Amino acid sequence: MSGIAGSPVTCPAYAAIFGYLGVISCTCLANFGSAWGTWRAGMGLCKMGVDYPRGVMKNLVPIVMAGVLGIYGLIVSVIITQGITKPMKVSGQTYGQPQYSLYTAYAHLAAGLCCGISCLAAGGTIGYIGDVGIQCFGLKVSGGKRAWATSEGASGAEGQSGAGGYGANDQITQEAANKLYVGLLIMLIFSEALALYGMIVALLLCQGKAISCNN
């Protein structure tokens, strides 16, 4: 990688502040978006479990996708941290010579904000779509009835034998619920893609040209 010669003006001692601000913003915002999405989707999952307990495991997808957002922030934060160069010790100087340019610091700050805010937006979107979508899926399958009224709270064999199996109306309702579930997955995938776009741009920002701080 070709370097660009810099001066003390382009490599000040306070440049590392902006780099570490990028790490903080990326980690905190990404984790906040992950927690936000998990909170909203988890509330919807618990409410849906009252009407349709057997659909709890099937509807864990929004919670898993929200948890991945924190991993995106972790990856970018580690890359930014590895790009922050420590000052070089010089004989006769107390604090050493800075090796981290202001240009690189601004790039790392932009990368952290890009990934963090993208994960925050994706977490909110996943949370709200998961909350409403999961509850609507449970209402569609159960027909708005509670689990104790449809023998849903019992085991699979006991529930089907006690209710006499699934009738034609139940099959139609199940097909309609599956169509709703497919639409829910598509919306969640495109919501997750928002965070992925931010992480890709953040990785590109971290791969800029290195600026040499040696005079």
Side-chain angles (χ1 to χ4, degrees):
M1 180 181 294
S2 60
I4 301 177
S7 63
V9 179
T10 60
C11 300
Y14 60 83
I17 297 177
F18 297 100
Y20 285 114
L21 281 177
V23 176
I24 294 172
S25 59
C26 182
T27 304
C28 295
L29 291 176
N31 289 336
F32 187 85
S34 178
W36 189 11
T38 305
W39 164 55
R40 294 294 305 185
M43 289 177 58
L45 184 64
C46 293
K47 294 178 182 178
M48 188 273 298
V50 177
D51 298 327
Y52 187 59
R54 282 188 293 183
V56 172
M57 298 301 298
K58 183 178 181 180
N59 290 275
L60 284 174
V61 178
I63 299 176
V64 175
M65 296 180 72
V68 176
L69 300 177
I71 300 178
Y72 293 163
L74 176 64
I75 293 174
V76 176
S77 298
V78 171
I79 294 176
I80 295 175
T81 304
Q82 292 178 348
I84 299 177
T85 308
K86 297 180 180 180
M88 181 179 62
K89 293 183 179 181
V90 179
S91 59
Q93 294 184 6
T94 305
Y95 301 102
Q97 182 178 357
Q99 298 295 313
Y100 187 61
S101 66
L102 198 59
Y103 173 83
T104 307
Y106 286 153
H108 288 167
L109 177 60
L113 290 175
C114 185
C115 181
I117 296 177
S118 298
C119 291
L120 178 62
T125 307
I126 292 174
Y128 278 94
I129 292 177
D131 184 11
V132 178
I134 288 174
Q135 294 187 60
C136 292
F137 176 81
L139 291 174
K140 193 67 175 179
V141 174
S142 61
K145 298 179 181 179
R146 296 291 183 177
W148 56 267
T150 57
S151 301
E152 195 70 38
S155 59
E158 295 176 357
Q160 293 184 8
S161 62
Y166 292 105
N169 294 332
D170 295 333
Q171 293 179 357
I172 296 176
T173 303
Q174 186 68 34
E175 292 178 359
N178 290 334
K179 293 180 180 179
L180 177 62
Y181 187 76
V182 172
L184 174 63
L185 288 181
I186 293 175
M187 289 185 288
L188 291 174
I189 290 173
F190 280 97
S191 300
E192 183 80 15
L194 299 176
L196 187 60
Y197 299 155
M199 186 184 71
I200 292 175
V201 174
L203 294 178
L204 293 177
L205 288 171
C206 293
Q207 295 178 354
K209 289 186 177 180
I211 297 180
S212 177
C213 295
N214 298 324
N215 296 328

